């Protein structure tokens, strides 16, 4: 028998062996599927029915990459996502040919001026610069990895002029002065891993003039890595400042306030995606997180729906006053607006007593979360473009608008969205998921599972290896600086020299019939309903 015959025999035996194994597997699966009681499809269509479950499992990926068009994906469309990625990676936000926006749909538009401002006429800090790194795209072939060059980049920080700086808590011992209008919304260490928090902290620190909110999970060492200004959030569970009984540890609060990077405290009443207490699954509660939060490791943690310390506006304001006295720093609240009268009691009490928060973070129902429930995410709390005018109008009605700064959040991740929010009355803007995308988030929607494949919304050490801090931190600063630059660009188009001057008169609303209405008129209608 020659060598060819030997290979033929061996090949035949191998194929026969593999075939027998496959037949045995199919027979086993047929019998198993036919007799199992959990899935009707498999009982009637053994083995073949498994194809259905396979396609069901990979359906989200197919829709995201193949079947959804560029503007219809949720929560962020492909266009939204790519806009953030390209800004953060390449520090470029130009597009070609034309807009993909459906101009027949209703929506807001920035009113351009016949004589826009020249670049040299814009009022901004022209001295502060940032040093970062960005990619230069050299080749983008179809069947191989794109070729890119990573290079150093210096840029203006595009901060506000000193005269236009936003001051939170001007009457406190330690006012919080900001020269940037955009900061990072509340994202806890625990909902995000230490690599993600560190990358964001270092990136925002490089950007200057901004802040990061700790979320209700308490202050971690990773928030402090980048020497960025911090708003420390205090939730109903008092994570980070709680005593053994779950109440406020006032001595610990005092110690936290002495950390120079902590510029303000925020009392979390609610957030748009969950107008209730927060939740973190057991597998995310590592010993390090448990130590920071003062809870037991590897046990699920739920915050109470509200604080035990107060149950009405007077007791809330007394709690605010006590924190302010202990810390000497500004104190604000984070809330969600549910209707026209949502802020009425607070505004009236502020007028009658002179007490109240130094800032109000207003979160729209379209905001994100690490973990919540469908009925809360979809149907509880008004979106930001409805909530913001109600808050502003109510504060103006009682003459207390000038006493507080308003921070708006809810998918405000482009310069035009930010400009519209400022025109509606916001002083500052928070962004969360936009920053998550800059450091690698690909929208797998697994934030609640600790199985984030790119190492962002997970505390799993193995999965976190995907996130390289020394690369991602530059993406965070690039995205933020590009946003600031775009905000000045759209300001110039509107004929104003700084984004702080956006007013309702600069925004028009077009309905689906083409009829336009000034934002001034819309806000006046809202004021009449509130009065």
């Amino acid at each position: 028998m020659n060598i060819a015959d030997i290979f033929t025999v061996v090949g035949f035996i191998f194929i026969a062996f593999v075939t027998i194994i496959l037949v045995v597997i199919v027979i086993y699966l047929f019998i198993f599927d036919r007799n199992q009681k959990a899935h009707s499809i498999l009982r009637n269509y053994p083995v073949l029915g498994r194809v259905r479950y396979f396609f069901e499992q990979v359906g989200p990926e197919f829709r995201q990459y193949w079947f959804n068009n560029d503007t219809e994906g949720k929560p962020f469309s492909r266009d939204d996502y790519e806009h953030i990625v390209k800004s953060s990676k390449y520090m470029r936000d130009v597009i070609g040919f034309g807009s993909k926006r459906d101009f027949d749909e209703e929506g807001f538009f920035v009113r351009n001026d016949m004589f826009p401002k020249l670049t040299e006429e814009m009022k901004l800090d022209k001295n502060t610069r940032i040093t970062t790194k960005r990619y230069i795209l050299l080749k983008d072939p179809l069947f191989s990895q794109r070729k890119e060059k990573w290079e150093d980049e210096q840029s203006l920080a595009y901060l506000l002029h000193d005269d236009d700086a936003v001051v939170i808590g001007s009457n406190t011992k330690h006012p919080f002065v900001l020269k940037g209008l955009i900061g990072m919304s509340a994202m806890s260490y625990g909902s995000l891993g230490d690599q993600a928090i560190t990358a964001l902290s270092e990136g925002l620190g490089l950007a200057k003039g901004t802040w990061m909110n700790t979320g209700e999970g308490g202050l971690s060492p990773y928030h402090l890595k980048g020497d960025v200004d911090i708003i420390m959030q205090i939730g109903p569970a008092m994570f980070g400042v709680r005593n053994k009984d779950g109440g406020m540890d006032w001595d610990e609060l005092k110690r936290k306030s002495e950390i120079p990077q902590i510029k303000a405290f925020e009392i979390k009443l609610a957030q748009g995606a969950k107008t209730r207490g927060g939740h973190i699954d057991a597998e995310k509660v590592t010993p390090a997180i448990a130590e920071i939060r003062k809870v037991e490791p590897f046990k699920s943690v739920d915050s109470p729906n509200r604080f035990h310390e107060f149950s009405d506006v007077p007791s809330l304001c007394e709690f605010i006053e006590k924190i302010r006295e202990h810390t000497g720093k500004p104190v604000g609240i984070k809330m969600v607006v549910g209707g026209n009268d949502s802020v009425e009691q607070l505004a009236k009490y502020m007028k009658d007593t002179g007490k109240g928060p130094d800032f109000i973070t207003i979160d729209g129902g379209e905001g994100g979360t690490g973990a919540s429930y469908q009925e809360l995410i979809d149907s509880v709390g008004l979106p930001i473009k409805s909530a913001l005018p109600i808050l502003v109008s109510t504060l103006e009605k009682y003459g207390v608008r000038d006493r507080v700064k308003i921070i708006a959040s809810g998918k405000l991740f482009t310069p035009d969205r930010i400009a519209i929010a400022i025109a509606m009355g916001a002083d500052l803007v928070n962004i969360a998921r936009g920053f998550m995308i800059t450091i690698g988030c690909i929208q797998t929607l697994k934030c609640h599972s600790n199985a984030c494949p790119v190492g962002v919304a997970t505390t799993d050490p193995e999965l976190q290896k995907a996130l390289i801090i020394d690369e991602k931190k530059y993406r965070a600063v690039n995205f933020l600086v590009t946003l600031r630059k775009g905000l000045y660009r759209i300001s110039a188009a509107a004929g104003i020299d700084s984004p702080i001057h956006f007013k309702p008169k600069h925004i028009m609303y077009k309905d689906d019939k083409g009829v336009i209405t000034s934002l001034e008129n819309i806000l006046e209608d809202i004021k009449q309903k509130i009065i």
Side-chain angles (χ1 to χ4, degrees), residues 454-466:
V454 292
V456 177
T458 179
T459 56
D460 186 315
E462 290 301 314
L463 292 173
Q464 286 196 78
K465 289 179 180 178

Side-chain angles (χ1 to χ4, degrees), residues 10-20:
V10 171
F12 177 79
I13 293 172
F14 177 76
I15 292 172
F17 180 73
V18 171
T19 302
I20 291 170

Side-chain angles (χ1 to χ4, degrees), residues 182 412-423 429 431 483 487:
I182 308 161
L412 303 175
F413 55 89
T414 60
D416 52 324
R417 293 173 187 233
I418 295 170
I420 292 167
I422 294 172
V429 164
I431 297 174
L483 275 181
L487 198 50

Side-chain angles (χ1 to χ4, degrees), residues 347-355 398 400 403:
K348 185 177 186 304
Y349 189 83
M350 289 173 65
K351 176 185 178 182
D352 293 343
T353 67
K355 299 178 180 179
Y398 287 94
V400 294
R403 283 172 41 190

Side-chain angles (χ1 to χ4, degrees), residues 271-273 336 363-368 376-378 380-384 387 409-410:
Q271 72 182 84
V336 176
D363 199 21
E366 65 271 65
L376 298 179
I377 288 177
D378 288 345
V380 179
L382 294 175
I384 191 63
S409 60

Side-chain angles (χ1 to χ4, degrees), residues 20-258:
I20 291 170
I21 290 176
L22 290 175
V23 169
V24 170
I25 292 173
V26 170
I27 292 172
Y28 170 79
L29 290 176
F30 184 93
I31 295 171
F32 179 85
D33 290 348
R34 181 71 83 182
N35 290 282
Q36 59 80 38
K37 299 178 180 179
H39 303 285
S40 301
I41 290 289
L42 293 183
R43 282 179 67 84
N44 283 343
Y45 304 97
V47 184
L48 185 62
R50 291 176 177 268
V51 177
R52 175 189 183 276
Y53 295 109
F54 170 76
F55 281 115
E56 184 179 52
Q57 188 72 20
V58 300
E61 286 78 11
F62 271 76
R63 286 190 291 275
Q64 181 176 356
Y65 296 113
W66 285 14
F67 302 125
N68 281 345
N69 69 36
D70 289 344
T71 60
E72 68 182 6
K74 301 293 182 183
F76 287 70
S77 71
R78 184 180 291 112
D79 270 356
D80 292 338
Y81 178 81
E82 288 187 354
H83 179 86
I84 295 169
V85 170
K86 289 177 180 177
S87 296
S88 63
K89 191 173 183 182
Y90 305 111
M91 219 173 179
R92 286 175 60 83
D93 53 356
V94 295
I95 59 174
F97 198 69
S99 173
K100 294 179 183 178
R101 179 175 182 173
D102 186 347
F103 288 93
D104 291 328
E105 288 186 350
E106 57 190 18
F108 289 97
F109 293 82
V110 176
R111 182 173 182 169
N112 61 293
D113 194 87
M114 185 178 291
F115 303 101
K117 292 290 184 182
L118 296 171
T119 301
E120 58 267 26
E121 294 179 304
M122 300 307 291
K123 187 178 180 182
L124 73 159
D125 180 342
K126 297 180 180 178
N127 297 316
T128 304
R129 305 184 69 83
I130 57 103
T131 300
T132 183
K133 291 179 181 289
R134 65 167 181 154
Y135 287 95
I136 303 294
L137 182 62
L138 303 177
K139 287 185 179 180
D140 193 10
L142 183 60
F143 295 108
S144 61
Q145 190 173 8
R146 65 171 59 98
K147 187 176 181 181
E148 297 170 325
K149 178 183 177 183
W150 204 35
E151 68 174 21
D152 294 333
E153 174 75 11
Q154 285 204 339
S155 166
L156 273 179
Y158 289 96
L159 296 173
L160 298 173
H161 191 277
D162 288 345
D163 296 342
D164 295 334
V166 178
V167 182
I168 299 176
S170 56
N171 294 323
T172 62
K173 292 180 182 178
H174 306 286
F176 184 16
V177 180
L178 284 161
K179 292 180 64 178
L181 298 178
I182 308 161
M184 191 192 93
S185 192
M187 292 193 285
S188 300
Y189 170 53
S191 61
L192 303 189
D194 57 271
Q195 298 282 90
I197 294 292
T198 301
L200 289 167
S201 174
E202 293 187 4
L204 295 172
L206 289 171
K208 304 173 184 176
T210 187
W211 68 94
M212 72 185 307
N213 191 306
T214 64
E216 65 175 306
L219 179 72
S220 75
Y222 311 106
H223 288 106
L224 301 171
K225 289 278 189 178
D227 196 29
V228 62
D229 290 341
I230 288 173
I231 296 176
M232 182 176 174
Q233 189 179 89
I234 302 172
M238 303 286 190
F239 294 134
V241 289
R242 62 186 275 153
N243 56 34
K244 63 180 180 180
D245 298 320
M248 175 69 83
D249 183 336
W250 293 100
D251 292 334
E252 181 61 27
L253 176 69
K254 178 67 174 175
R255 285 191 289 271
K256 288 290 196 303
S257 71
E258 292 169 352

Side-chain angles (χ1 to χ4, degrees), residues 298-348:
F298 303 115
K299 287 189 176 182
S300 294
V301 180
D302 282 290
S303 298
N305 279 357
R306 65 168 176 81
F307 286 79
H308 293 288
E309 284 72 13
F310 52 83
S311 58
D312 54 20
V313 168
S315 54
L316 164 64
C317 290
E318 289 303 321
F319 191 65
I320 290 171
E321 294 293 320
K322 191 171 181 180
I323 293 177
R324 190 185 290 120
E325 289 172 7
H326 267 74
T327 65
K329 295 185 176 181
V331 182
I333 59 173
K334 181 175 184 177
M335 64 173 294
V336 176
V337 168
N340 286 341
D341 59 350
S342 293
V343 204
E344 191 87 15
Q345 292 182 23
L346 176 63
K348 185 177 186 304

